[in-house]
Amino acid sequence: MLTSKRIMTMAVAFLSLSIGAQAGIKPGAVWPDNRGVHINAHGGGVLKSGDTYYWFGEHKADTTSSAMVGVTCYSSKDLENWTYRGVALSVSDQKGSDIERGCILERPKVIYNKKTGKYVMWFHLELKGQGYAAARYGVAVADKAEGPYTFLRSGRVNPKIWPENTPKPDAEVLTSALNGNPKLDWWTPEWMEYVKKGMYTWRDYDGGQMARDQTVYVDDDGKAYHIYSSEENLTLQIAELTDDYTAHTGRYVRVAEGGQNEAPAIMKRNGVYWMITSGCTGWAPNKARMFTATSIWGPWKQLPNPCVGPNADLTFGGQSTYILKIADRPDTYIFMADIWRPEHPSDARYIWLPIEFKADGTPVVEWKDEWSMDDLK
């Protein structure tokens, strides 16, 4: 016989499950976790470990986009219903720490290293009180997918190393241009020529290349790459990582020089690489770009916006962050993006949409008001 107390306990438990349950994926809507709280994992990525997916992202406060908590983690078996797992990487209360509370910590991505058995997190880091001047990467490691992650270091990329696909610099010419001789006005053809020659690459040569919006990618052969917006967000760079995925090997290339791309998200299908990016318009959305190559090192060719449907010219109001390949479903990929709300950062929303393919293999991201993983079977 059920007592009143037990009936009440069961009712509360059922209500909690009902609140947290997600029926399908509704792009742009509030997405509640198991507690009924909107998921707080922005600019993030998803990793599958065993039979569980882990979603990592920036914890956003209500009134600031600075990092007041760190990187949060959620887990799921079905990619629709998510359980809060806590803070995977916490900011530090130590004054002067690279990840001091109030720094800017963005676009965390986690990859697993089979050789070391470690989970490795990469992210874009700006030091507290310096705006976006630091332009660093950050890296942390953990023994378990959900963490806790231990911060290793932050820095610029590949100091004193020149990119493979850019002719070696005429140091005197580029130094003179940086010093205003000749005088170069932004966005003139003359200025753009110097950008393509590596004027800002040369400026940052000694201290290392800038690294802002970023992702990491593990290829079929186990090699990992760091892809990031550099050179004052004018140029993307792709840098190879060491075998343990925690540092750069020194090998890197420049992509879309002077094109102003950020928010890179990459996938590989049938031996062809595809990368979706955005333009640089702050928190405001813009038209997505897409690039393709048959080698991670390029050359990369730009293609038209892959988005189709209402508001497609503004990426449905969002900005790319990650492309998730579903390992146990052949030819299934999910495009992930964020709808930023800088006046109320914690209320930023998520756009998840399945990627479809034209007859020639070109990816298409079509808007859907609602969809389910069951639709992809």
Side-chain angles (χ1 to χ4, degrees):
M1 181 175 176
L2 294 175
T3 65
S4 297
K5 184 176 181 180
R6 189 176 178 192
I7 290 172
M8 180 63 72
T9 301
M10 291 172 65
V12 170
F14 178 77
L15 180 60
S16 297
L17 287 172
S18 298
I19 289 172
Q22 170 84 2
I25 294 173
K26 304 177 182 68
V30 169
W31 198 339
D33 65 11
N34 62 305
R35 306 164 300 170
V37 178
H38 180 50
I39 293 170
N40 199 330
H42 310 281
V46 175
L47 169 78
K48 189 177 185 185
S49 181
D51 63 352
T52 304
Y53 292 93
Y54 294 89
W55 180 357
F56 302 90
E58 311 159 24
H59 179 281
K60 292 291 191 188
D62 292 337
T63 58
T64 178
S65 288
S66 295
M68 307 307 293
V69 173
V71 177
T72 44
C73 176
Y74 296 78
S75 67
S76 175
K77 301 288 189 181
D78 61 8
L79 291 171
E80 296 181 8
N81 299 283
W82 293 89
T83 298
Y84 178 64
R85 300 300 293 267
V87 181
L89 174 67
S90 298
V91 293
S92 174
D93 286 319
Q94 180 181 345
K95 189 172 178 58
S97 167
D98 286 3
I99 56 170
E100 181 181 355
R101 192 182 308 277
C103 67
I104 296 172
L105 196 163
E106 298 178 333
R107 299 188 177 270
K109 306 292 187 294
V110 174
I111 50 180
Y112 177 68
N113 190 288
K114 293 180 180 179
K115 293 181 180 178
T116 65
K118 298 285 188 181
Y119 294 87
V120 185
M121 178 188 294
W122 284 77
F123 51 91
H124 164 216
L125 179 68
E126 300 290 349
L127 303 178
K128 183 178 181 179
Q130 295 188 22
Y132 279 82
R136 294 187 180 190
Y137 69 84
V139 62
V141 297
D143 294 321
K144 298 187 296 182
E146 66 268 30
Y149 284 76
T150 300
F151 176 67
L152 295 182
R153 79 185 79 84
S154 76
R156 292 281 187 93
V157 181
N158 289 326
K160 297 186 182 299
I161 300 175
W162 193 250
E164 288 189 358
N165 66 338
T166 302
K168 291 197 173 175
D170 186 323
E172 184 176 342
V173 168
L174 292 182
T175 300
S176 294
L178 288 166
N179 290 333
N181 183 25
K183 185 178 183 304
L184 298 171
D185 294 324
W186 275 55
W187 298 112
T188 60
E190 294 78 17
W191 172 82
M192 184 59 73
E193 280 303 308
Y194 278 92
V195 168
K196 291 180 177 180
K197 288 178 182 176
M199 179 169 61
Y200 293 107
T201 324
W202 177 246
R203 182 197 65 182
D204 297 331
Y205 177 78
D206 288 338
Q209 300 300 307
M210 303 175 86
R212 288 185 178 143
D213 277 13
Q214 63 95 53
T215 191
V216 282
Y217 174 72
V218 179
D219 212 337
D220 302 335
D221 59 1
K223 286 281 189 183
Y225 302 89
H226 183 206
I227 304 167
Y228 50 94
S229 187
S230 193
E231 302 173 33
E232 303 293 352
N233 290 11
L234 288 165
T235 300
L236 292 168
Q237 295 184 359
I238 299 178
E240 185 182 62
L241 297 182
T242 53
D243 285 347
D244 65 1
Y245 300 169
T246 67
H248 301 97
T249 65
R251 187 181 184 192
Y252 74 107
V253 293
R254 303 167 71 221
V255 177
E257 300 94 326
Q260 273 202 315
N261 287 276
E262 60 182 15
I266 189 172
M267 69 177 186
K268 185 180 183 181
R269 178 178 182 262
N270 297 335
V272 179
Y273 299 87
W274 303 91
M275 181 162 54
I276 298 176
T277 70
S278 83
C280 299
T281 52
W283 297 108
N286 55 64
K287 183 187 293 188
R289 293 94 175 270
M290 185 164 64
F291 297 84
T292 187
T294 54
S295 166
I296 193 75
W297 300 114
W300 289 83
K301 174 186 176 183
Q302 185 168 352
L303 300 175
N305 176 15
C307 299
V308 175
N311 217 17
D313 279 352
L314 290 177
T315 317
F316 317 118
Q319 185 185 39
S320 50
T321 183
Y322 195 71
I323 296 175
L324 172 62
K325 180 180 181 182
I326 310 302
D328 55 352
R329 298 193 186 193
D331 217 26
T332 303
Y333 302 80
I334 297 174
F335 172 73
M336 296 169 51
D338 296 275
I339 300 175
W340 300 114
R341 297 194 169 179
E343 294 80 16
H344 189 186
S346 62
D347 190 41
R349 305 295 177 84
Y350 309 102
I351 296 172
W352 285 29
L353 291 167
I355 297 177
E356 300 167 355
F357 299 93
K358 297 180 182 179
D360 64 359
T362 302
V364 176
V365 181
E366 184 173 3
W367 176 260
K368 299 178 188 299
D369 291 329
E370 182 177 350
W371 62 281
S372 169
M373 290 300 297
D374 290 337
D375 299 336
L376 307 183
K377 289 183 178 178

